Amino acid sequence: MLSGLILSAVAMTLIVAIRYLIVSGGFAFATRLRAPGLYAGQHGQIRRELFWSLVSAAIYGVPAGVIAWGWREHGWTRVYTDLHAYPLWWLPLSILLCLIAHDTWFYWTHRWMHRPKPFKLAHAVHHASRPPTAWAAMSFHPVEALTGAVVIPTLVFVIPLHPAALGVVLTIMTLMGVTNHMGWEMFPRRLVNGAAGRWLITASHHERHHAQYRCNYGLYFRFWDTVCGTDRGLGDFSAKPAKTRPETRAAGGDAGIAAGG
């Protein structure tokens, strides 16, 4: 029993780590082809991003492995394998519900992370990537990684999910995390500036968060940023990052939060 539990946790950690290396590595290679020299001079930063990301892989992988073991051995979670156990329309709806729930959790925990104390304790690790690269998607302090690691393990106990739906959610989560940090926009401007772009977050939207810190806290959707007045529109990849220290800018962000912005 214990050996199976440990094996599952280790296997899931390896899966998360390998997934990160493949996806981030793939987009880093794409960046090299599309924008040669974009990451020039950032080798030390990339090494730090790799280190923190692999630490985060274990923090994400261990609870996921424990729950995967519990699902196989004891029927934990509401994951179902019979495609006809629920109506087929539930499949896309369950994906959407997971994304909405994850986006809501991310917005509010992310916004909290920009208060001075939690920022200095944890979130400064992520914002030390200036500007971030495709390797920065999981570059988190362990405290911040824990806030993200609880999401999917919690949702599988709440929302009935087919493995295919869970796979889609994890794929979207991974791709959004990587592409929003790689330093360029992969989607066409007509989509980013069009009706879809007014609701969906892309690299252009998240770039402004890394440039200004006090805005654009969402992950998938612009809903909470719009409702809470923290949406500052799209960023500019041609602008150079400011030289102010991350802690100083985060403190200003906390003042904005206290004022309701």
Side-chain angles (χ1 to χ4, degrees):
M1 175 178 172
L2 183 59
S3 60
L5 181 62
I6 293 173
L7 183 61
S8 182
V10 170
M12 195 61 72
T13 297
L14 290 174
I15 289 171
V16 174
I18 292 170
R19 182 188 67 182
Y20 158 74
L21 292 171
I22 291 174
V23 178
S24 288
F27 279 101
F29 180 71
T31 300
R32 187 175 180 180
L33 296 178
R34 183 191 182 279
L38 183 63
Y39 297 161
Q42 292 182 274
H43 301 298
Q45 174 184 308
I46 290 172
R47 284 194 293 270
R48 290 193 299 273
E49 290 169 349
L50 280 162
F51 169 76
W52 287 114
S53 294
L54 292 175
V55 171
S56 296
I59 294 172
Y60 276 81
V62 169
V66 170
I67 290 173
W69 172 85
W71 172 62
R72 290 193 307 269
E73 299 295 325
H74 302 288
W76 296 356
T77 80
R78 302 192 69 184
V79 174
Y80 63 95
T81 56
D82 181 1
L83 188 61
H84 301 290
Y86 290 83
L88 289 180
W89 54 260
W90 174 251
L91 202 65
L93 181 58
S94 65
I95 295 170
L96 180 60
L97 290 174
C98 283
L99 295 178
I100 291 172
H102 189 191
D103 186 70
T104 299
W105 173 260
F106 183 89
Y107 176 87
W108 289 106
T109 55
H110 188 193
R111 190 166 170 176
W112 171 75
M113 282 279 181
H114 275 267
R115 292 185 176 274
K117 288 184 179 180
F119 189 95
K120 187 175 182 180
L121 171 67
H123 197 46
V125 166
H126 185 65
H127 276 282
S129 296
R130 304 173 59 211
T133 74
W135 298 103
M138 289 176 59
S139 182
F140 303 130
H141 184 279
V143 170
E144 181 169 3
L146 281 170
T147 68
V150 301
V151 178
I152 300 301
T154 299
L155 290 177
V156 296
F157 283 97
V158 177
I159 300 174
L161 286 169
H162 188 272
L166 183 57
V168 170
V169 171
L170 292 172
T171 299
I172 293 172
M173 180 176 71
T174 302
L175 291 177
M176 292 287 280
V178 175
T179 60
N180 283 353
H181 292 92
M182 64 183 175
W184 53 279
E185 182 60 72
M186 72 173 186
F187 293 107
R189 300 310 302 177
R190 63 180 178 274
L191 183 150
V192 175
N193 295 320
R198 288 194 289 272
W199 288 100
L200 301 176
I201 290 174
T202 65
S204 299
H205 187 267
H206 195 65
E207 189 281 334
R208 175 148 289 181
H209 172 75
H210 278 271
Q212 298 183 1
Y213 285 56
R214 295 184 291 173
C215 60
N216 297 16
Y217 297 105
L219 178 60
Y220 304 123
F221 310 112
R222 295 174 67 170
F223 173 80
W224 286 112
D225 276 310
T226 301
V227 169
C228 298
T230 55
D231 195 306
R232 299 291 184 269
L234 304 181
D236 179 7
F237 288 113
S238 65
K240 294 183 179 179
K243 298 297 182 182
T244 52
R245 295 175 63 194
E247 303 96 294
T248 304
R249 301 165 86 183
D254 187 62
I257 293 171

